Amino acid sequence: MTDASLEEIPTDECYRLLATQEIGRLGVNAEHHPLIFPVNFALDGTTIVIRTRAGTKLAAAEHANVTFEVDEIDRRTRSGWSVLVRGQAEEVGGEHRADLVARTHATGVEPWAPGDAGHWLRLIPHDVTGRRIVPGELPPAVDPRAYL
Amino acid sequence: MTDASLEEIPTDECYRLLATQEIGRLGVNAEHHPLIFPVNFALDGTTIVIRTRAGTKLAAAEHANVTFEVDEIDRRTRSGWSVLVRGQAEEVGGEHRADLVARTHATGVEPWAPGDAGHWLRLIPHDVTGRRIVPGELPPAVDPRAYL
């Protein structure tokens, strides 16, 4: 039996893993706390696109340092991976070129939560890191010494 | 067919949901960003107990405003819930009463990640909020008008 190990995930693999998910967690500083909001997202290249309504998330994210976390956890094998993006968020609006607005809308991200999600945020990564817990090798179901 | 709806989760139910999970996401302010770290946890009453090694998480969490998020997402029905705890974290050590240290250790929280997780953090909630997306009613599999 070997122990579990912790591996760093290379950048390319981080982006590939990001693309396997449709829910991530946006981290923004607001109300004196590092708030964490699960959100639907889509990718435009390496840019994370989020739709939201007016509110805490949007006000706190605009032109601020934000983070975006995705993970996948396997309770059975006590393993999993997580990817953390650090970046800047900005709302896409009238000041942007029409092609950027069109590309943003073309991601087609559709929030599950009902309500008016009329605001589109782009989160431009400036750093991405990831870690994976690789499960240890479990002992064989039959002890080979039983045959000795 | 009805649309999905968004419900606030009462405090009692938030704590009940917290207890159904063994991985949550700790939010701490560090390195000019609201960093998000998935961690194993256990509960001592309503206090969240985390074990960690020395490093960014521990240094940033100690006596600081932190958050702790748990969620459960169902991609098939495009629904889920999330609970966000706001609180203060403190490392449990020599300055604490022996019974508090004993209760903290008795939670038996065991990190999946390998390495020296010799530091125990208690996160004392001062606020907990939760939201649930209730899926809309799907259209019946057979259109009843087919029988008219």
Side-chain angles (χ1 to χ4, degrees), chain B residues 43-76:
Chain B
L43 292 172
D44 172 16
T46 59
T47 298
I48 294 156
V49 176
I50 298 163
R51 270 175 70 183
T52 186
R53 66 180 80 192
T56 306
K57 266 201 291 286
L58 184 67
E62 179 73 352
H63 295 297
N65 280 354
V66 301
T67 54
F68 193 74
E69 191 265 354
V70 294
D71 59 44
E72 206 164 43
I73 307 294
D74 183 347
R75 288 167 78 156
R76 195 183 55 79

Side-chain angles (χ1 to χ4, degrees), chain B:
Chain B
M1 182 172 173
T2 56
D3 288 341
S5 59
L6 190 65
E7 288 177 357
E8 299 217 349
I9 302 174
T11 304
D12 283 6
E13 175 75 357
C14 286
Y15 283 113
R16 196 193 64 73
L17 289 168
L18 201 54
T20 65
Q21 304 296 305
E22 54 182 317
I23 295 271
R25 295 161 199 91
L26 178 68
V28 297
N29 266 319
E31 301 165 6
H32 309 292
H33 287 82
L35 301 185
I36 303 173
F37 298 102
V39 292
N40 294 86
F41 75 102
L43 292 172
D44 172 16
T46 59
T47 298
I48 294 156
V49 176
I50 298 163
R51 270 175 70 183
T52 186
R53 66 180 80 192
T56 306
K57 266 201 291 286
L58 184 67
E62 179 73 352
H63 295 297
N65 280 354
V66 301
T67 54
F68 193 74
E69 191 265 354
V70 294
D71 59 44
E72 206 164 43
I73 307 294
D74 183 347
R75 288 167 78 156
R76 195 183 55 79
T77 59
R78 298 167 59 90
S79 62
W81 57 263
S82 72
V83 166
L84 183 68
V85 174
R86 304 175 193 211
Q88 283 251 334
E90 61 170 9
E91 187 176 353
V92 174
E95 74 200 71
H96 290 93
R97 296 192 321 269
D99 64 328
L100 186 81
V101 176
R103 267 171 43 199
T104 303
H105 292 190
T107 61
V109 58
E110 195 69 55
W112 296 348
D116 169 32
H119 300 270
W120 296 74
L121 275 182
R122 289 173 70 91
L123 195 169
I124 296 119
H126 55 66
D127 185 55
V128 56
T129 53
R131 288 186 172 196
R132 187 195 300 277
I133 300 174
V134 180
E137 198 185 310
L138 295 172
V142 174
D143 187 334
R145 287 171 302 183
Y147 296 105
L148 295 180

